Amino acid sequence: MHIQSIPMWEGSSNNYAYLVVDDKTKDAVIIDPANPPEVAPVLKQQIDSGKINLTSIINTHHHWDHAGGNSKILEQFKGLPVIGGKQCEAVTKTPKDGETFKIGEGITVKALYTPCHTQDSICWYMEDGSEKVVFTGDTLFIGGCGRFFEGTPAEMNTALNKTLAALPHDTKVYPGHEYTKTNVKFLTTVLQTEPVMKLQSFAENNKETQGKFTIGDEKTYNVFMRLDDPTVQKATGKTDPVDVMGKLREMKNSM
């Protein structure tokens, strides 16, 4: 499996699209190609040079900065299926929760429903041999999580601490935005532990953090995945996990 990150709107919303390629067949998918002027030239160059066979668009959720480029991409790359939640632009297929499919011969993809940021949020877990990755959209960020636009603290707790937390520890995380620097600022107001400080140092010295950290890493520093940590509970004044989640989001929103 080869993953190419395509940064979009750098300096403003700092989104990522991701091109995922099966090594053997060159079959490929593009995840969240929301800004076609930045994504289409990359796709065209790789298709024209025979490096990829683009088979589908995949979306993590329906927000315009993730799924809003689908129709324009389809104008240039005709006939591609669009796999995502029911509200995604030009969607043609919505897999069931837990449903799997293949990219080429090597990559197995599993749809993980994670409603909260939007009700149609889907995280995409992929395995290729021993390699494991998850594309989390605006559900899980490195050191943070998405706002609860269409959901509740209980739903985000389920998404992060049941669904994503159940993935293998060495699963690399590829989020929808580069938000790590701002996430770390919040983390340090709640936890001043070694894992948080290490993440802070990495974010200060590296422009991009996608694919550099795992689900196991997130459990060590991401306060939204440490709801039973006494320090986190003390910072929120709550002990019930759902209450802790809700208070953390409230605190982060007000920063």
Side-chain angles (χ1 to χ4, degrees):
M1 169 168 28
H2 179 261
I3 299 167
Q4 180 179 350
S5 304
I6 306 171
M8 301 177 292
W9 298 298
E10 278 190 85
S12 55
S13 59
N14 295 306
N15 287 64
Y16 287 119
Y18 295 106
L19 180 62
V20 184
V21 187
D22 175 53
D23 297 321
K24 191 172 179 185
T25 63
K26 306 302 178 195
D27 283 358
V29 301
I30 184 69
I31 299 175
D32 289 352
N35 193 21
E38 292 184 281
V39 178
V42 177
L43 299 178
K44 185 175 186 312
Q45 187 274 322
Q46 298 214 25
I47 291 168
D48 290 351
S49 64
K51 289 180 181 172
I52 66 168
N53 168 37
L54 192 61
T55 62
S56 59
I57 297 168
I58 294 180
N59 289 140
T60 59
H61 61 296
H62 70 81
H63 283 162
W64 71 269
D65 64 324
H66 294 265
N70 292 352
S71 296
K72 278 278 185 218
I73 292 287
L74 289 168
E75 284 176 19
Q76 189 169 346
F77 307 98
K78 299 191 189 319
L80 294 175
V82 177
I83 303 169
K86 288 185 172 64
Q87 289 178 265
C88 292
E89 182 176 290
V91 68
T92 59
K93 180 173 171 57
T94 300
K96 294 184 174 70
D97 187 20
E99 189 176 328
T100 62
F101 59 93
K102 300 282 277 193
I103 302 168
E105 293 176 15
I107 305 171
T108 302
V109 185
K110 182 186 272 192
L112 301 174
Y113 281 26
T114 51
C116 180
H117 180 72
T118 65
Q119 283 300 304
D120 71 345
S121 289
I122 301 175
C123 292
W124 300 98
Y125 174 66
M126 302 190 187
E127 285 184 332
D128 184 358
S130 63
E131 200 174 354
K132 297 176 276 290
V133 301
V134 64
F135 297 90
T136 55
D138 289 2
T139 295
L140 173 66
F141 298 124
I142 306 300
C145 71
R147 290 176 182 256
F148 308 168
F149 285 129
E150 297 180 11
T152 63
E155 285 178 313
M156 189 58 84
N157 181 42
T158 296
L160 297 185
N161 297 312
K162 293 177 184 167
T163 304
L164 294 177
L167 294 176
H169 275 216
D170 57 347
T171 304
K172 291 177 181 172
V173 178
Y174 288 84
H177 296 262
E178 185 54 64
Y179 284 166
T180 309
K181 276 193 178 69
T182 52
N183 287 340
V184 165
K185 279 181 191 165
F186 175 65
L187 292 183
T188 57
T189 67
V190 179
L191 278 181
Q192 290 85 38
T193 57
E194 188 182 350
V196 171
M197 297 305 143
K198 278 187 177 171
L199 180 64
Q200 182 177 42
S201 173
F202 188 91
E204 283 170 0
N205 291 294
N206 294 273
K207 189 178 173 185
E208 298 185 358
T209 59
Q210 78 286 13
K212 304 295 186 190
F213 297 93
T214 64
I215 290 292
D217 294 329
E218 289 299 309
K219 292 177 183 178
T220 69
Y221 54 65
N222 189 330
V223 294
F224 296 96
M225 295 184 79
R226 296 185 60 81
L227 305 182
D228 57 354
D229 184 319
T231 310
V232 176
Q233 292 181 349
K234 187 178 178 188
T236 60
K238 311 284 185 186
T239 53
D240 179 83
V242 172
D243 293 340
V244 176
M245 176 67 81
K247 185 63 180 176
L248 284 170
R249 188 66 253 177
E250 194 182 297
M251 290 161 62
K252 175 77 166 65
N253 289 351
S254 65
M255 264 191 82

